[in-house]
Amino acid sequence: MTVGTKIYNLIKILWPFNRSLTGNGNRATLKILKKINSDLKVLEVKSSIQVYDWKIPLEWNVKKAFIKNVNTREEILNFKNNNLHLMGYSIPIKKIFTLDKLKKNLNYIKNKPHAIPYTTSYYKKNWGFNLAYNNFKKLNKKHKYEVNIDTNFKKGSMSFGEIFIKGKSKKEIIFSTYICHPSMANNELSGPCLSIYLSKWIKKFKNRNFSYRFIFIPETIGSI
């Protein structure tokens, strides 16, 4: 099996995990990456710790999230089918809405009618759903809609991974890649999946001039 095939297969394994700034999806991702390269160290930073002018947020995990048509009982969308449907860090809510009220919390892209957008609200309490514009257009203005978001916020921690490969020099080459987006490829899984195999390849070379550091992090606050 070629390395390219291995990377592609790893992307398929990690694709369903719900990743964000924090949470079980990040830990599950790092656990599998560690199986590829056991040198990966997984570290945790507790919620509420101040990092310069940022603060580690509460840990966020999702139990369920869906919208149902009250009139027809048809399921409009469900987090379990595609984790992009739920806005990242959505607060819990269980309520019935008219479409006029609900649409304020629905996100879509008109000029990409088949695409589900990716949205987050890390530091402001909010909730929302994302759907394809073509599906939004099918919603009936005369009907009511049940919204059910069961999410959990707790004083947990933010997870990240690091691999250090020592060379002759103290000068380091750093590879930084994100683990904070859900089911996305170009802006997410291509980075960590390529990086974990690249770290294994670099380690094979014994006469390394530079040292190498690979970090697998949630963006912005993870970088800091």
Side-chain angles (χ1 to χ4, degrees), residues 18-27 30 43-45 47 54-61 88-89 118-124 153 156-160 178-182 188 216-223:
N18 185 47
R19 286 170 292 271
S20 187
L21 284 187
T22 64
N24 294 328
N26 291 27
R27 290 192 192 95
L30 291 167
L43 303 120
E44 303 278 347
V45 185
S47 300
W54 292 77
K55 186 180 282 188
I56 306 296
L58 293 174
E59 186 175 327
W60 179 74
N61 288 293
Y89 266 71
Y118 169 56
T119 63
T120 62
S121 187
Y122 297 131
Y123 293 98
K124 182 181 177 182
F153 292 83
S157 59
M158 182 187 76
S159 314
F160 69 95
Y178 295 150
I179 56 160
C180 56
H181 299 134
E188 176 64 22
F216 301 81
I217 55 172
E219 63 178 302
T220 308
I221 193 164
S223 306

Side-chain angles (χ1 to χ4, degrees), residues 87-128:
M87 173 189 284
Y89 266 71
S90 281
I91 60 173
I93 185 168
K94 191 173 183 181
K95 195 173 178 180
I96 292 174
F97 292 88
T98 62
L99 180 59
D100 189 51
K101 293 283 181 67
L102 176 61
K103 66 183 181 182
K104 296 172 185 176
N105 294 83
L106 298 180
N107 305 290
Y108 49 81
I109 306 171
K110 279 189 176 182
N111 62 355
K112 293 183 179 178
H114 300 287
I116 301 171
Y118 169 56
T119 63
T120 62
S121 187
Y122 297 131
Y123 293 98
K124 182 181 177 182
K125 288 185 178 180
N126 199 2
W127 64 271

Side-chain angles (χ1 to χ4, degrees), residues 178-191:
Y178 295 150
I179 56 160
C180 56
H181 299 134
S183 297
M184 302 169 76
N186 288 343
N187 194 37
E188 176 64 22
L189 290 174
S190 57

Side-chain angles (χ1 to χ4, degrees), residues 135-148:
N135 291 334
F136 171 77
K137 290 191 296 181
K138 294 176 184 177
L139 300 179
N140 192 319
K141 293 180 180 179
K142 296 179 180 179
H143 291 181
K144 291 187 177 181
Y145 296 88
E146 176 192 352
V147 170
N148 191 325

Side-chain angles (χ1 to χ4, degrees), residues 27-93:
R27 290 192 192 95
T29 297
L30 291 167
K31 186 176 181 180
I32 289 175
L33 292 176
K34 189 174 177 66
K35 289 180 180 179
I36 308 297
N37 187 340
S38 60
D39 291 339
L40 179 70
K41 292 181 180 179
V42 178
L43 303 120
E44 303 278 347
V45 185
K46 289 183 179 180
S47 300
S48 302
I49 285 179
Q50 195 74 30
V51 185
Y52 297 99
D53 57 342
W54 292 77
K55 186 180 282 188
I56 306 296
L58 293 174
E59 186 175 327
W60 179 74
N61 288 293
V62 184
K63 292 181 181 178
K64 63 182 176 182
F66 62 82
I67 300 176
K68 276 185 182 177
N69 185 313
V70 173
N71 299 72
T72 64
R73 301 310 301 164
E74 176 193 5
E75 191 172 79
I76 305 305
L77 54 79
N78 197 316
F79 170 84
K80 70 181 180 182
N81 297 329
N82 190 318
N83 54 37
L84 285 174
H85 278 313
L86 182 65
M87 173 189 284
Y89 266 71
S90 281
I91 60 173
I93 185 168

